[in-house]
Amino acid sequence: MQWQSMVTVGRITRPQHNRGEVLVISDTDFPEERFAPGATVFASREAAVMPLTVTSSREHDGRWVVGFQGVGTINDAEALRGLELRIPVETLHALPAGSYFTHDLVGCEVRTVGGQVVGTIERVDIGVGIPMLVLAGPDGEVLVPFTAAFCRGVDVQAKRIEIDPPPGLIELNVPRRRSP
């Protein structure tokens, strides 16, 4: 398994209780499937990719409590703290038109309909209601809501997104300079 060719579905934050379960922050729209008993996710430790088979899972306050085969104590669970969970890209579902995987958006150049380069997508924050495109712009980080109201064209193959932001949205993100 090639770690770089896999996509992130979650991150283990900490042990949960004392039976070897862990708390997972989900980065997928399909957590019921990805963390279902019998499912396999992968983690990387010291450049080795290791499979983790889910034995139990339940949602808890917007996160997932997950048990893995062979992880039966709090010490076993503690050893998994901070690990990113991934799956092979070929196991992804086909999405309906107008829907995109966040990993496909990362690296896209964002321009306004007028041709101004706003920046390149570094990540997509999905836990805040409307997904937010987090761009590395020429003057620093720029946040753009990923909504049809602003995004006029998305071409993930060409790695381009065209936006029509309301007046002031881009400027709102520019750090203020202090006067001497």
Side-chain angles (χ1 to χ4, degrees), residues 40-58:
T40 300
V41 294
F42 297 85
S44 178
R45 180 179 292 139
E46 299 172 10
V49 178
M50 60 183 180
L52 295 169
T53 302
V54 177
T55 58
S56 64
S57 69
R58 66 187 180 281

Side-chain angles (χ1 to χ4, degrees), residues 102-154:
T102 57
H103 69 272
D104 287 334
L105 298 174
V106 172
C108 286
E109 180 184 68
V110 177
R111 291 178 178 259
T112 66
V113 292
Q116 173 193 359
V117 174
V118 180
T120 303
I121 299 174
E122 290 187 324
R123 70 179 189 278
V124 181
D125 289 344
I126 60 173
V128 291
I130 295 174
M132 288 294 241
L133 302 176
V134 181
L135 314 176
D139 294 318
E141 186 176 86
V142 178
L143 304 176
V144 176
F146 189 56
T147 175
F150 300 149
C151 296
R152 299 295 183 227
V154 178

Side-chain angles (χ1 to χ4, degrees), residues 11-25 35 37 52-60 63-82 85:
R11 178 174 303 282
I12 297 173
T13 60
R14 62 178 174 81
Q16 177 75 8
H17 302 299
N18 61 358
R19 296 180 303 239
E21 294 176 316
V22 295
L23 195 62
V24 174
I25 295 176
F35 306 122
L52 295 169
T53 302
V54 177
T55 58
S56 64
S57 69
R58 66 187 180 281
E59 186 180 11
H60 177 70
R63 298 182 188 150
W64 286 81
V65 178
V66 181
F68 294 110
Q69 185 175 347
V71 180
T73 68
I74 195 166
N75 289 337
D76 295 339
E78 182 64 42
L80 301 177
R81 182 188 290 266
L85 302 174

